[in-house]
Amino acid sequence: MVPENLYYTEEHEWIRIEDGQATLGITDHAQKELGDITYVELPDIDDEFDSGDDIAVVESVKAAADVYAPLSGIITEVNEGLEDEPELVNASPYEKGWICKFSDFDENDLEDLMSPQQYKDFIEG
Amino acid sequence: MHQTPLNQKHLNLGAKLVPFGGWEMPVQYEGILAEHMATRTKVAIFDICHMGEFIVEGPAASQFVDLVVSSKAGTQKVGKCKYGFLLSEEAKILDDLITYRLDDNKFMMVVNAATTSSDYSWLEQNLIPNVTLSDISKETAKLDVQGPESQSLLQNVFNINLNDLGYFSWLYINFKNTQILLSRTGYTGELGYELYFDVKIVEELWDLIIASGATPAGLGARDTLRLEAALPLYGQEVDNTLTPKEANLMRFVSKKKEYIGSNILLEMGEVPFTLVGFATDVKRAARHDHQVLINGEIVGRVTSGSIAPSLGYSIGFAYVKTPFAKPGQEIEINLGKKILAAKIVELPFLKK
């Protein structure tokens, strides 16, 4: 499942842009690869980060995976629901399983990210 | 890569297959957590056809088993089975195994998949007169049926009564003219059974046991289950660089007989590192090869670590410097970018 209207990364993250704010999560493909998610380490609000920084950790029964920032920005909101229900990342990767929101990114950098079609080709390739 | 005879069954069930010990094995079907909980609360079935089975037979079979196995497996009664080690002359652990006494002069050894061929060569080299050794792994299937409902399920499927079958005991049952060896053993810390039989009926039995209510479970759940029960995994907690003393497994070593490695092992002084179990109070888990720290100094390394689904926090095994290897000792684990607080605890982690 690769929804339209999102940007994607080679690290299997998605970004939704709404009202100048970005929401970040991991893709359906990523959650399937990881298996049951048991823990999500969230960033702190107001954390400032550069593109490529690790900003969160998604841990499954078998392994821990870093979540890398696809853009630079400042964290504005985190999904605190994941603290008690990390399995939302499995059940609803694009909606209830979002990880964090951030602002202050450079819109021009969005061009470096993948479109839904490019991401589909990437995971099927 | 070897495949078990159930490979296509696993694919049909939507399993995720991974390499393990030279075999392509299902790590999970629906999900590790659901399979773990099915084993703890109901009943699950595991394809364990990758493991190796040898037959040791002849007038000197009992003597040979006692020579090569660390526990008193050679003199146990027919109808029993015993856990133990194959040790090198230097008392290093070549493998851990279960030895079944099938008859006065006949035994079955069940060994790990990755070590099957090296074990066989080593046993052959140490063979004594009046014993024959044969590898029956290819024609032998193994299914584990584990969980609190395993007894009632198997009683219904085979129309038998298992009330009198004790822990680490076995019996033969008949299924359509095929003999099945069924033992009350397992690798989960739950009530459970292991079944050995002719590979020709493995697909039929797999389907029948699932149709009777068992959840198919993969190696992922097998790993979290055995970890909660504090059972070692060959290649992680024990391997051919370690002795049972370091692994804190001297209870599976006889002090009353001689076997290969016994002299070295029983004369061994204090070992520098000892295996311990540790627990955290968070869900973030330590992993294989993470460093163990005390006051910032490296004192050991993690061998296995995971969330314990039945406990709700993460646990693991680690080798630590022996003076620190005591319950209550606080340790830290270096996750790379973060330090995880943990404490050495009494084993098993999950007390039944």
Side-chain angles (χ1 to χ4, degrees), chain B residues 85-258:
Chain B
F85 306 108
L86 299 180
L87 300 179
S88 70
E89 300 285 353
E90 297 76 35
K92 307 289 190 192
I93 303 172
L94 301 176
D95 205 357
D96 61 345
L97 77 168
I98 295 182
T99 308
Y100 290 73
R101 187 161 201 171
L102 303 182
D103 209 334
D104 283 348
N105 295 325
K106 192 175 180 184
F107 294 80
M108 178 171 74
M109 292 177 169
V110 181
V111 300
N112 282 298
T115 44
T116 302
S117 67
S118 59
D119 288 352
Y120 190 82
S121 308
W122 185 82
L123 291 169
E124 236 179 356
Q125 283 163 31
N126 288 285
L127 213 57
I128 59 174
N130 299 314
V131 184
T132 57
L133 175 70
S134 50
D135 183 347
I136 58 160
S137 307
K138 274 211 180 80
E139 57 266 31
T140 306
K142 178 173 188 277
L143 295 177
D144 289 11
V145 181
Q146 302 276 307
E149 294 175 8
S150 57
Q151 183 184 345
S152 57
L153 182 146
L154 293 171
Q155 290 184 155
N156 291 338
V157 167
F158 297 114
N159 194 25
I160 48 172
N161 185 325
L162 294 171
N163 281 344
D164 295 331
L165 186 67
Y167 195 39
F168 276 84
S169 299
W170 63 268
L171 48 73
Y172 285 124
I173 56 175
N174 285 305
F175 176 74
K176 297 185 181 173
N177 300 321
T178 303
Q179 195 174 48
I180 297 171
L181 188 157
L182 179 152
S183 60
R184 205 187 124 198
T185 49
Y187 196 48
T188 61
E190 279 308 320
L191 173 66
Y193 301 85
E194 296 180 292
L195 283 70
Y196 304 85
F197 51 88
D198 191 325
V199 71
K200 284 179 195 141
I201 58 165
V202 67
E203 290 176 281
E204 185 181 358
L205 271 186
W206 172 263
D207 287 343
L208 180 60
I209 293 170
I210 290 174
S212 305
T215 299
L219 292 187
R222 188 167 160 88
D223 197 41
T224 53
L225 290 158
R226 70 94 193 168
L227 190 59
E228 287 182 344
L231 300 169
L233 173 61
Y234 195 83
Q236 309 232 123
E237 281 67 47
V238 290
D239 63 33
N240 63 8
T241 67
L242 294 159
T243 67
K245 185 144 190 177
E246 291 152 307
N248 215 354
L249 294 168
M250 290 298 277
R251 63 193 180 279
F252 302 110
V253 162
S254 171
K255 282 131 200 116
K256 293 181 180 156
K257 63 159 193 167
E258 283 192 21

Side-chain angles (χ1 to χ4, degrees), chain B residues 317-331:
Chain B
F317 275 124
Y319 276 97
V320 299
K321 288 185 177 172
T322 301
F324 300 117
K326 51 186 190 297
Q329 172 71 50
E330 301 206 354
I331 57 172

Side-chain angles (χ1 to χ4, degrees), chain A residues 11-69:
Chain A
E11 313 287 351
H12 304 285
E13 294 142 347
W14 56 262
I15 297 99
R16 179 183 291 123
I17 305 293
E18 272 170 340
D19 306 326
Q21 182 162 251
T23 305
L24 172 85
I26 67 167
T27 65
D28 185 52
H29 176 81
Q31 70 80 16
K32 278 187 185 144
E33 284 294 307
L34 282 163
D36 290 333
I37 306 296
T38 54
Y39 175 79
V40 181
E41 187 173 285
L42 299 166
D44 291 326
I45 290 173
D46 294 337
D47 270 0
E48 220 177 309
F49 56 86
D50 287 326
S51 169
D53 288 356
D54 46 288
I55 51 172
V57 179
V58 176
E59 185 153 352
S60 71
V61 181
K62 298 297 286 179
D66 285 323
V67 177
Y68 296 98

